[in-house]
């Protein structure tokens, strides 16, 4: 999860670039003086509900467990909670929530059948391993936009390659890749 990586970077982890599923954690790295420059937006995340027809369906007794990423340090978990609260089902299902360490683990819970339903990223729902799980996009008005950002780290040992990669991420070609793989393009150039 993004929050765990921030802790590692602040503790001296040897990374070249940091991608976060939101702006908060990349801002934290930048504000700490650990990045070359300010965070750059590269995509907008899309939340999907898998295994149930609607958020209101989660109230039903057949959904004994619902997986989400841990909202304490995972951006997709934060917007999952926001969507559940705004759809007025959170208070009725909060005891059913199973927290994955990150959104990938929340998706794994669905994939192996540990939870019958969950809220994950659309990008993960498109993975071949998830083909047997029915997913639909959660109405974006139920949560704040999840603008995903990155920063190049000052400690990078591969500065030239890292800068080239950062430039590619903002290119039209990469934006098309993001748009075709479960993200909204942010139109970066």
């Amino acid at each position: 999860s993004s929050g765990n990586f921030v802790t590692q970077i602040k503790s001296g982890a040897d990374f070249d670039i940091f991608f976060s599923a939101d702006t908060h954690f990349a801002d934290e790295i930048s504000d700490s003086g650990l990045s070359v420059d300010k965070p750059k937006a590269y995509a907008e995340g899309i939340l999907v509900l898998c295994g149930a027809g609607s958020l209101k369906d989660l109230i039903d007794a057949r959904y004994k467990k619902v997986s989400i990423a841990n909202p304490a340090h995972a951006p997709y978990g934060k917007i999952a909670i926001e969507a559940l609260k705004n759809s007025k089902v959170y208070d009725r299902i909060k005891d059913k929530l199973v927290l994955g360490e990150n959104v990938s683990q929340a998706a794994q819970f669905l994939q192996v059948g540990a939870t019958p339903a969950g809220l994950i990223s659309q990008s993960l729902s498109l993975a071949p391993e998830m083909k047997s799980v029915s997913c639909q996009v959660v109405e974006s008005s139920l949560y704040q936009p999840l603008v995903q950002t990155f920063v190049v780290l000052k400690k990078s040992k591969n500065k030239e390659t890292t800068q080239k990669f950062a430039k590619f991420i903002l290119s039209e070609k990469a934006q098309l890749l993001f748009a075709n793989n479960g993200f909204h393009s942010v139109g970066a150039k």
Side-chain angles (χ1 to χ4, degrees), residues 16-164:
D16 295 305
I17 195 166
F18 170 63
F19 287 85
S20 179
D22 73 359
T23 57
H24 167 77
F25 290 113
D27 283 340
E28 190 174 333
I29 293 296
S30 176
D31 292 346
S32 296
L34 299 171
S35 66
V36 172
D37 51 16
K38 296 285 183 201
K40 292 182 175 58
Y42 67 90
E44 186 178 317
I46 301 170
L47 186 66
V48 296
L49 171 65
C50 299
S54 73
L55 293 174
K56 294 201 185 305
D57 288 347
L58 298 175
I59 296 168
D60 192 288
R62 66 186 155 158
Y63 299 104
K64 294 184 185 343
K65 296 178 182 177
V66 178
S67 62
I68 66 169
N70 188 332
H73 51 253
Y76 278 97
K78 288 179 187 174
I79 65 169
I81 295 292
E82 188 177 349
L84 291 167
K85 285 181 177 180
N86 287 332
S87 64
K88 305 201 183 333
V89 299
Y90 176 77
D91 288 334
R92 295 183 64 188
I93 70 150
K94 63 184 175 188
D95 294 334
K96 297 180 181 186
L97 296 179
V98 176
L99 305 181
E101 183 63 22
N102 51 47
V103 72
S104 295
Q105 189 175 47
Q108 286 175 333
F109 292 157
L110 284 161
Q111 180 190 345
V112 301
T115 62
L119 290 154
I120 63 170
S121 66
Q122 185 177 40
S123 60
L124 288 174
S125 76
L126 299 175
E129 306 83 48
M130 293 293 292
K131 292 287 186 217
S132 65
V133 181
S134 172
C135 300
Q136 57 275 333
V137 173
V138 173
E139 178 59 47
S140 62
S141 65
L142 293 174
Y143 60 92
Q144 291 295 314
L146 190 57
V147 177
Q148 303 194 173
T149 58
F150 75 91
V151 290
V152 174
L153 301 173
K154 285 182 178 176
K155 288 187 86 170
S156 173
K157 294 180 180 171
N158 306 297
K159 292 186 184 341
E160 187 176 329
T161 302
T162 302
Q163 288 295 342
K164 285 180 184 177

